[in-house]
Short mmCIF file of all heavy atoms in Angstrom, two decimals:
data_model
loop_
_atom_site.label_atom_id
_atom_site.label_comp_id
_atom_site.label_asym_id
_atom_site.label_seq_id
_atom_site.Cartn_x
_atom_site.Cartn_y
_atom_site.Cartn_z
N SER J 23 9.08 25.83 -18.01
CA SER J 23 9.68 27.21 -17.60
C SER J 23 10.60 27.06 -16.59
O SER J 23 11.26 27.97 -16.12
CB SER J 23 8.37 28.08 -17.12
OG SER J 23 7.50 28.39 -18.31
N PHE J 24 10.61 25.95 -15.61
CA PHE J 24 11.39 25.88 -14.49
C PHE J 24 12.40 24.71 -14.59
O PHE J 24 13.18 24.52 -13.49
CB PHE J 24 10.48 25.78 -13.27
CG PHE J 24 9.70 27.02 -12.93
CD1 PHE J 24 8.45 27.24 -13.73
CD2 PHE J 24 10.19 27.95 -12.11
CE1 PHE J 24 7.73 28.35 -13.18
CE2 PHE J 24 9.55 29.17 -11.91
CZ PHE J 24 8.29 29.40 -12.41
N ALA J 25 12.39 23.78 -15.58
CA ALA J 25 13.16 22.70 -15.65
C ALA J 25 14.57 22.99 -16.20
O ALA J 25 15.09 22.17 -17.02
CB ALA J 25 12.52 21.72 -16.35
N ARG J 26 15.20 23.94 -15.55
CA ARG J 26 16.60 24.26 -16.03
C ARG J 26 17.61 23.11 -15.89
O ARG J 26 18.38 22.72 -16.64
CB ARG J 26 17.04 25.54 -15.40
CG ARG J 26 16.24 26.77 -15.83
CD ARG J 26 16.67 27.94 -14.98
NE ARG J 26 18.05 28.21 -14.92
CZ ARG J 26 18.77 28.68 -13.87
NH1 ARG J 26 18.11 28.90 -12.71
NH2 ARG J 26 19.99 28.83 -13.87
N MET J 27 17.60 22.50 -14.59
CA MET J 27 18.55 21.43 -14.36
C MET J 27 18.18 20.24 -15.19
O MET J 27 18.95 19.63 -15.89
CB MET J 27 18.33 21.08 -12.85
CG MET J 27 19.31 19.87 -12.34
SD MET J 27 18.56 18.16 -12.84
CE MET J 27 17.26 18.03 -11.61
N GLN J 28 16.90 19.90 -15.39
CA GLN J 28 16.49 18.81 -16.09
C GLN J 28 16.90 18.94 -17.61
O GLN J 28 17.31 17.99 -18.34
CB GLN J 28 14.93 18.61 -16.10
CG GLN J 28 14.50 18.05 -14.74
CD GLN J 28 14.28 19.21 -13.60
OE1 GLN J 28 14.68 20.28 -14.00
NE2 GLN J 28 13.66 18.88 -12.65
N ASN J 29 16.87 20.26 -18.11
CA ASN J 29 17.09 20.43 -19.52
C ASN J 29 18.75 20.32 -19.75
O ASN J 29 19.08 19.70 -20.82
CB ASN J 29 16.79 21.86 -19.95
CG ASN J 29 15.23 22.01 -20.09
OD1 ASN J 29 14.51 20.98 -20.21
ND2 ASN J 29 14.72 23.22 -19.97
N GLN J 30 19.40 20.74 -18.74
CA GLN J 30 20.97 20.68 -19.00
C GLN J 30 21.33 19.04 -18.89
O GLN J 30 22.16 18.65 -19.58
CB GLN J 30 21.67 21.41 -17.82
CG GLN J 30 21.67 22.94 -18.12
CD GLN J 30 22.69 23.63 -17.15
OE1 GLN J 30 23.73 23.17 -16.85
NE2 GLN J 30 22.35 24.72 -16.83
N ALA J 31 20.70 18.34 -17.97
CA ALA J 31 20.91 17.06 -17.84
C ALA J 31 20.49 16.32 -19.08
O ALA J 31 21.27 15.35 -19.64
CB ALA J 31 20.14 16.34 -16.61
N ALA J 32 19.42 16.66 -19.77
CA ALA J 32 18.93 16.12 -20.91
C ALA J 32 19.89 16.19 -22.12
O ALA J 32 20.17 15.40 -22.81
CB ALA J 32 17.46 16.60 -21.33
N ASP J 33 20.49 17.44 -22.18
CA ASP J 33 21.45 17.76 -23.22
C ASP J 33 22.63 16.86 -23.11
O ASP J 33 23.21 16.39 -24.13
CB ASP J 33 21.92 19.17 -23.17
CG ASP J 33 20.88 20.16 -23.63
OD1 ASP J 33 19.87 19.79 -24.26
OD2 ASP J 33 20.86 21.39 -23.27
N LEU J 34 23.11 16.63 -21.90
CA LEU J 34 24.25 15.82 -21.77
C LEU J 34 23.97 14.31 -22.09
O LEU J 34 24.79 13.52 -22.66
CB LEU J 34 24.75 15.88 -20.28
CG LEU J 34 25.37 17.20 -19.89
CD1 LEU J 34 25.58 17.31 -18.41
CD2 LEU J 34 26.68 17.42 -20.57
N LEU J 35 22.74 13.85 -21.64
CA LEU J 35 22.24 12.44 -22.01
C LEU J 35 22.17 12.30 -23.50
O LEU J 35 22.53 11.37 -24.07
CB LEU J 35 20.98 12.16 -21.31
CG LEU J 35 20.29 10.81 -21.66
CD1 LEU J 35 21.30 9.60 -21.35
CD2 LEU J 35 19.02 10.49 -20.85
N LEU J 36 21.63 13.34 -24.22
CA LEU J 36 21.30 13.36 -25.62
C LEU J 36 22.61 13.28 -26.37
O LEU J 36 22.72 12.82 -27.51
CB LEU J 36 20.52 14.48 -26.07
CG LEU J 36 19.04 14.45 -25.77
CD1 LEU J 36 18.52 15.88 -25.90
CD2 LEU J 36 18.36 13.31 -26.61
N THR J 37 23.79 13.84 -25.81
CA THR J 37 25.08 13.76 -26.59
C THR J 37 25.41 12.22 -26.57
O THR J 37 25.95 11.73 -27.53
CB THR J 37 26.22 14.41 -25.56
OG1 THR J 37 25.83 15.83 -25.65
CG2 THR J 37 27.53 14.29 -26.19
N HIS J 38 25.28 11.54 -25.59
CA HIS J 38 25.50 10.05 -25.49
C HIS J 38 24.48 9.35 -26.45
O HIS J 38 25.03 8.26 -27.13
CB HIS J 38 25.50 9.45 -24.12
CG HIS J 38 26.62 10.02 -23.29
ND1 HIS J 38 27.74 9.17 -23.03
CD2 HIS J 38 26.81 11.19 -22.62
CE1 HIS J 38 28.67 9.89 -22.30
NE2 HIS J 38 27.99 11.01 -21.99
N VAL J 39 23.27 9.61 -26.50
CA VAL J 39 22.35 9.03 -27.44
C VAL J 39 22.83 9.30 -28.91
O VAL J 39 22.86 8.37 -29.76
CB VAL J 39 20.98 9.66 -27.15
CG1 VAL J 39 19.98 8.97 -28.31
CG2 VAL J 39 20.42 9.27 -25.82
N GLY J 40 23.23 10.54 -29.14
CA GLY J 40 23.73 10.88 -30.44
C GLY J 40 24.99 10.00 -30.84
O GLY J 40 24.98 9.51 -32.06
N LEU J 41 25.90 9.82 -29.91
CA LEU J 41 27.05 8.97 -30.22
C LEU J 41 26.61 7.58 -30.46
O LEU J 41 27.34 6.80 -31.23
CB LEU J 41 27.95 8.99 -29.11
CG LEU J 41 28.65 10.38 -28.80
CD1 LEU J 41 29.51 10.36 -27.52
CD2 LEU J 41 29.53 10.63 -30.04
N ALA J 42 25.50 7.01 -29.78
CA ALA J 42 25.00 5.64 -30.01
C ALA J 42 24.32 5.49 -31.22
O ALA J 42 24.11 4.14 -31.65
CB ALA J 42 24.21 5.24 -28.66
N CYS J 43 23.77 6.53 -31.86
CA CYS J 43 22.95 6.28 -33.07
C CYS J 43 23.38 5.39 -34.16
O CYS J 43 22.56 4.58 -34.66
CB CYS J 43 22.53 7.70 -33.57
SG CYS J 43 21.32 8.67 -32.68
N ALA J 44 24.70 5.55 -34.43
CA ALA J 44 25.09 4.76 -35.71
C ALA J 44 25.25 3.25 -35.41
O ALA J 44 25.12 2.58 -36.33
CB ALA J 44 26.55 5.36 -36.02
N SER J 45 25.27 2.97 -34.11
CA SER J 45 25.61 1.46 -33.72
C SER J 45 24.31 0.82 -33.17
O SER J 45 24.31 -0.33 -32.92
CB SER J 45 26.77 1.42 -32.83
OG SER J 45 26.45 2.09 -31.63
N LEU J 46 23.18 1.55 -33.04
CA LEU J 46 21.99 0.95 -32.53
C LEU J 46 21.49 -0.17 -33.39
O LEU J 46 21.50 0.11 -34.61
CB LEU J 46 20.94 2.09 -32.23
CG LEU J 46 21.18 2.99 -31.02
CD1 LEU J 46 20.00 4.01 -30.93
CD2 LEU J 46 21.36 2.27 -29.74
N GLN J 47 20.92 -1.18 -32.81
CA GLN J 47 20.31 -2.10 -33.69
C GLN J 47 18.97 -1.45 -34.38
O GLN J 47 18.42 -0.48 -33.94
CB GLN J 47 19.73 -3.29 -32.72
CG GLN J 47 20.85 -4.01 -32.06
CD GLN J 47 21.75 -4.69 -33.17
OE1 GLN J 47 21.32 -5.58 -33.86
NE2 GLN J 47 23.09 -4.35 -33.04
N LYS J 48 18.50 -2.06 -35.48
CA LYS J 48 17.36 -1.60 -36.10
C LYS J 48 16.13 -1.97 -35.20
O LYS J 48 15.99 -3.01 -34.57
CB LYS J 48 17.11 -2.29 -37.49
CG LYS J 48 18.21 -1.83 -38.51
CD LYS J 48 18.08 -2.57 -39.80
CE LYS J 48 19.06 -2.19 -40.85
NZ LYS J 48 18.92 -2.76 -42.14
N GLY J 49 15.19 -0.99 -35.14
CA GLY J 49 13.89 -1.27 -34.48
C GLY J 49 13.42 -0.06 -33.66
O GLY J 49 13.89 0.99 -33.87
N THR J 50 12.44 -0.34 -32.85
CA THR J 50 11.70 0.69 -32.17
C THR J 50 12.46 1.21 -30.99
O THR J 50 13.17 0.53 -30.32
CB THR J 50 10.26 0.03 -31.70
OG1 THR J 50 9.59 -0.35 -32.71
CG2 THR J 50 9.49 1.16 -30.90
N ILE J 51 12.33 2.58 -30.69
CA ILE J 51 12.92 3.22 -29.55
C ILE J 51 11.87 3.60 -28.60
O ILE J 51 10.69 4.26 -28.97
CB ILE J 51 13.56 4.45 -30.03
CG1 ILE J 51 14.63 4.12 -31.18
CG2 ILE J 51 14.27 4.98 -28.86
CD1 ILE J 51 15.66 3.25 -30.89
N LEU J 52 12.03 3.24 -27.31
CA LEU J 52 11.05 3.58 -26.27
C LEU J 52 11.85 4.58 -25.36
O LEU J 52 12.82 4.39 -24.84
CB LEU J 52 10.66 2.36 -25.46
CG LEU J 52 9.87 2.65 -24.11
CD1 LEU J 52 8.55 3.19 -24.49
CD2 LEU J 52 9.72 1.31 -23.39
N GLU J 53 11.15 5.68 -25.09
CA GLU J 53 11.51 6.59 -24.10
C GLU J 53 10.51 6.43 -22.88
O GLU J 53 9.27 6.43 -22.97
CB GLU J 53 11.51 8.03 -24.46
CG GLU J 53 11.92 8.92 -23.34
CD GLU J 53 11.78 10.39 -23.61
OE1 GLU J 53 11.13 10.84 -24.68
OE2 GLU J 53 12.24 11.24 -22.94
N ILE J 54 11.23 6.24 -21.57
CA ILE J 54 10.25 6.15 -20.45
C ILE J 54 10.63 7.40 -19.57
O ILE J 54 11.71 7.84 -19.47
CB ILE J 54 10.62 4.90 -19.65
CG1 ILE J 54 12.12 4.61 -19.38
CG2 ILE J 54 10.18 3.68 -20.35
CD1 ILE J 54 12.32 3.43 -18.37
N GLY J 55 9.45 7.91 -19.01
CA GLY J 55 9.60 9.18 -18.34
C GLY J 55 9.78 10.48 -19.22
O GLY J 55 10.58 11.15 -19.01
N CYS J 56 9.00 10.39 -20.26
CA CYS J 56 9.11 11.50 -21.36
C CYS J 56 8.87 12.93 -20.85
O CYS J 56 9.21 13.91 -21.41
CB CYS J 56 8.23 11.15 -22.53
SG CYS J 56 6.53 11.23 -22.28
N GLY J 57 7.99 13.02 -19.79
CA GLY J 57 7.56 14.31 -19.28
C GLY J 57 6.81 15.15 -20.31
O GLY J 57 6.00 14.42 -21.07
#
Side-chain angles (χ1 to χ4, degrees):
S23 298
F24 290 87
R26 293 170 54 218
M27 179 277 288
Q28 292 86 347
N29 290 339
Q30 286 193 31
D33 287 344
L34 290 167
L35 175 59
L36 284 163
T37 298
H38 289 263
V39 173
L41 293 172
C43 282
S45 60
L46 287 180
Q47 299 295 299
K48 293 180 180 180
T50 301
I51 307 296
L52 170 68
E53 182 189 7
I54 54 178
C56 66

